[in-house]
Amino acid sequence: ASGGSFRHDDLLRYLRHGSLDVPPDVRMLFLMSTLPVATRAWYIDYIKIRQHKSSIEEFVKRNVSPLLIRREIESLERESTSTSTSNSTSPDEPDAGGDFSVKVTGNNVVASLAVEDGQSIDLRVVFPSLYPLKAGSATLERTPGISEERARRWQMSVELVLRNRSGDVSDAIKLWRRSVSGVFKDMECCLICYALIDPVSGALPRKKCRTCGIRLHASCLIKWCSSSGKSECVHCRSPW
């Protein structure tokens, strides 16, 4: 790997003219930016000599990782802006189900999807210094209304995309947004507290009336029955 600094113009020249008069480090960057999973496998499976590995890692940290991380972050910020300024989504885009925002701090990206006023589900993606030779990691930080098992499945799905598929962070976050929207789409608020997420337990309305089909928070239902002295649905008045 070359020790010289990389210029963005070099990559544009390579994209336009193939390998014509383009240094090897630019070709390396092109492969890592277009085939991140394949180059990661090549690095792990075939680069065994310590000196070679150190040279590649130094090149990636200095020239490749900052550029590709910046490209990923800019893509996420554009998507966040597009989502917040549009009231509709195309058939190919996830149904956001709420305001979507992205906050960037260094190599950390926190994507937030609002599910109710004052309540959001947050996904943190961390880019390693050897990105894309090492895949990004994902952590679900706030999961109101979501069980630990479901949150763990979402996290594993995101990391699977980061490691084994395109490796593209935008694709991973789109998958996560679809998963969140699938849970909250068309879900109605509890008719007792008029909230979607129980402010005390963080649970969703799960107790379903067998007659009218409305769902209530378990804690709200207990309080309702206790205060009213009746075990009946607050909506249709059928016995609960």
Side-chain angles (χ1 to χ4, degrees), residues 43-118:
Y43 165 76
I44 294 172
D45 295 338
Y46 295 102
I47 307 302
K48 303 298 184 182
I49 299 176
R50 183 181 298 274
Q51 183 178 359
H52 293 174
K53 179 170 288 191
S54 298
S55 297
I56 292 171
E57 290 176 352
E58 180 183 355
F59 168 74
V60 169
K61 286 181 181 179
R62 184 173 60 251
N63 297 319
V64 178
S65 185
L67 179 67
L68 297 189
I69 291 174
R70 185 170 70 249
R71 186 184 70 175
E72 292 274 13
I73 290 174
E74 289 174 351
S75 175
L76 289 169
E77 289 176 335
R78 284 195 301 271
E79 182 178 347
S80 175
T81 302
S82 174
T83 301
S84 63
T85 57
S86 174
N87 293 325
S88 61
T89 55
S90 69
D92 296 329
E93 292 299 316
D95 180 8
D99 292 337
F100 173 67
S101 63
V102 172
K103 182 179 179 180
V104 179
T105 305
N107 287 359
N108 288 254
V109 175
V110 177
S112 297
L113 185 60
V115 294
E116 190 177 29
D117 290 343

Side-chain angles (χ1 to χ4, degrees), residues 14-52:
Y14 181 77
L15 292 173
R16 291 169 182 164
H17 305 294
S19 60
L20 181 64
D21 297 328
V22 175
D25 56 354
V26 179
R27 294 197 292 271
M28 175 74 78
L29 172 64
F30 176 73
L31 290 173
M32 290 184 180
S33 63
T34 55
L35 300 170
V37 177
T39 52
R40 187 180 307 136
W42 161 79
Y43 165 76
I44 294 172
D45 295 338
Y46 295 102
I47 307 302
K48 303 298 184 182
I49 299 176
R50 183 181 298 274
Q51 183 178 359
H52 293 174

Side-chain angles (χ1 to χ4, degrees), residues 121 143-147 150 183-184 197 201-204 206:
I121 296 182
T143 56
I146 301 300
S147 67
R150 188 187 295 274
V183 172
F184 289 92
I197 299 172
S201 67
L204 295 174
R206 297 295 188 188

